[in-house]
């Protein structure tokens, strides 16, 4: 027998949310999702209605769903989209086109940092450096720096990323296994700015499983990339995600439980962690633990490999 939506009781249910034991029709699912994102923003005090919030949009389902849900969940918010074009053949143009399509339909200002145009490199150029087998990791370092730069350019106080529940518990679990406590702490839902004038980092999708972000895009007509990054590799984090999936079995609460325990652990870790003093990178002027920051070190490597340094 067809099941009716548990919220409106009129339409037929098409989606089952196992941890909430909810059968929902598409319209009620879209409302369920945006109100969950809203509640997460409010629970962790990620931003206020009158803030200027930048959303780092890659073109992937998570960050595209995030931008769309924030636009509808917080109609008064001043939103800006920030995109990094990584110069990866075919893939990056495809991602940027999807981002442009979404921002146009939502009437959101878009700021793009194109690695090739602005600094003369692409992520593929790192194949000529010792990072050749770690393109994803070097890409992460480059993106984190560029997000800060884009946030300053776009004058946003808060920078939201689309990290989802599955990503976060897998990365937390990986950091936990290797005792990487500082990296674990950096996954908390709200990270204060590293220095004055820089942005807060927030993760409004911390409680949204990956499949809900996908369903939100599909049912909400939100465009998203249909290609995989050619450099994405089976990193350790992906393996940890599979371990978590297996351990969860048919327990629908498992990932939420893991997340909650890690979130309880973070304040304890922070209390005991030695205070690190940041210096200023001698090249770019951003906060850094060394004289030269990780971003500038990697840039000089790639420029040297390309004969540009
Ligand atoms: P990832 O590290 O690729 O899992 O991405 C995590 C989050 O970082 C995404 O949900 C986006 O918010 C942001 N992000 C990743 N790549 C880009 C990009 N090329 N441009 C803008 N934001 C990005
Ligand atoms: Fe960074 Fe694929 S998106 S290596
Ligand atoms: Zn630097």
């Amino acid at each position: 027998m067809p099941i009716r939506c548990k919220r409106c009781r009129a339409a037929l249910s098409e989606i089952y949310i196992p941890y909430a034991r909810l059968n929902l029709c598409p319209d009620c699912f879209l409302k369920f999702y945006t109100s969950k994102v809203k509640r997460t923003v409010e629970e962790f005090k990620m931003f206020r209605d009158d803030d200027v919030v930048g959303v780092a949009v890659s073109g992937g389902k998570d960050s595209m769903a995030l931008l769309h849900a924030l636009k509808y969940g917080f109609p008064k918010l001043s939103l800006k989209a920030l995109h990094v074009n990584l110069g990866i053949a075919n893939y990056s143009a495809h991602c940027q086109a999807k981002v442009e399509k979404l921002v146009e339909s939502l009437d959101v200002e878009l700021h793009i940092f194109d690695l090739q145009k602005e600094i003369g490199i692409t992520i593929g150029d790192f194949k000529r450096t010792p990072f050749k087998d770690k393109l994803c990791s070097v890409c992460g370092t480059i993106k984190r720096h560029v997000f800060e730069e884009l946030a300053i350019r776009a004058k946003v106080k808060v920078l939201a990323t689309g990290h989802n529940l599955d990503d976060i518990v897998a990365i937390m679990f990986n950091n936990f296994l290797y005792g990487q406590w500082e990296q674990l702490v950096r996954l908390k839902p709200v990270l204060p700015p590293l220095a004055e004038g820089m942005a807060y980092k927030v993760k409004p999708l911390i409680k949204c499983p990956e499949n809900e972000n996908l369903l939100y895009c599909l049912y909400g007509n939100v465009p998203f990339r249909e290609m995989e990054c050619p450099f994405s590799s089976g990193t350790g984090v992906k393996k940890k995600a599979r371990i978590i999936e297996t351990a969860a079995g048919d327990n629908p609460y498992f990932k939420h439980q893991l997340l909650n325990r890690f979130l309880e652990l973070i304040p304890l870790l922070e209390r005991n962690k030695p205070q690190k003093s940041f210096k200023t990178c001698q090249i770019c002027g951003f906060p850094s633990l060394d004289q030269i920051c990780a971003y500038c070190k990697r840039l000089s490597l790639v420029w040297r490999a390309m004969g540009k340094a």
Side-chain angles (χ1 to χ4, degrees), residues 33 54-71 79-84 91 95 98-99 102-103 106 143 147 160-164 167 204-205 208 210 213-214 216-217 222-225:
Y33 181 92
V55 182
V57 265
S58 62
K61 60 183 183 339
D62 304 308
S63 51
M64 298 290 259
L66 171 64
L67 181 66
H68 192 277
L70 290 182
K71 178 79 185 178
L79 269 179
K80 298 188 182 183
L82 315 177
H83 177 68
V84 187
Y91 174 76
C95 292
K98 295 286 177 182
V99 171
L102 179 63
V103 297
L106 297 178
K143 280 191 294 198
F147 289 163
T161 51
H163 292 94
N164 63 45
D167 292 338
L205 302 188
C208 296
E210 195 171 7
N213 299 335
L214 176 63
Y216 183 81
C217 289
V222 180
F224 63 97
R225 69 170 161 80

Side-chain angles (χ1 to χ4, degrees), residues 145 280-288 291-297:
H145 178 100
T280 301
C281 170
Q282 288 178 354
I283 299 178
C284 69
F286 275 30
S288 164
Q291 309 278 38
I292 310 286
C293 74
Y295 169 80
C296 290
K297 280 182 193 160

Side-chain angles (χ1 to χ4, degrees), residues 12-45:
L12 289 183
S13 155
E14 290 187 27
I15 300 145
Y16 181 62
I17 308 289
Y19 56 86
R21 296 213 206 139
L22 263 183
N23 287 291
L24 295 173
C25 69
D27 279 353
C28 290
F29 168 72
L30 294 176
K31 286 185 204 140
F32 164 86
Y33 181 92
T34 37
S35 47
K36 182 151 71 159
V37 175
K38 263 191 100 156
R39 274 201 313 278
T40 308
V41 166
E42 285 157 5
E43 178 185 345
F44 296 103
K45 299 188 175 56

Side-chain angles (χ1 to χ4, degrees), residues 83-156:
H83 177 68
V84 187
N85 185 311
L86 302 162
I88 301 171
N90 302 321
Y91 174 76
S92 292
H94 172 77
C95 292
Q96 186 174 322
K98 295 286 177 182
V99 171
E100 283 167 343
K101 189 170 171 197
L102 179 63
V103 297
E104 202 188 320
S105 72
L106 297 178
D107 195 20
V108 166
E109 188 179 305
L110 172 64
H111 294 255
I112 297 179
F113 190 107
D114 185 314
L115 292 189
Q116 176 75 72
K117 287 186 195 148
E118 306 221 16
I119 46 179
I121 63 148
T122 69
I123 291 300
D125 292 329
F126 282 94
K127 282 188 193 150
R128 306 186 205 181
T129 72
F131 286 100
K132 59 178 180 289
D133 298 322
K134 292 183 184 159
L135 290 183
C136 276
S137 126
V138 78
C139 176
T141 308
I142 302 290
K143 280 191 294 198
R144 274 191 297 278
H145 178 100
V146 171
F147 289 163
E148 299 280 6
E149 226 166 287
L150 271 177
I152 293 170
R153 265 188 215 178
K155 299 191 174 63
V156 302

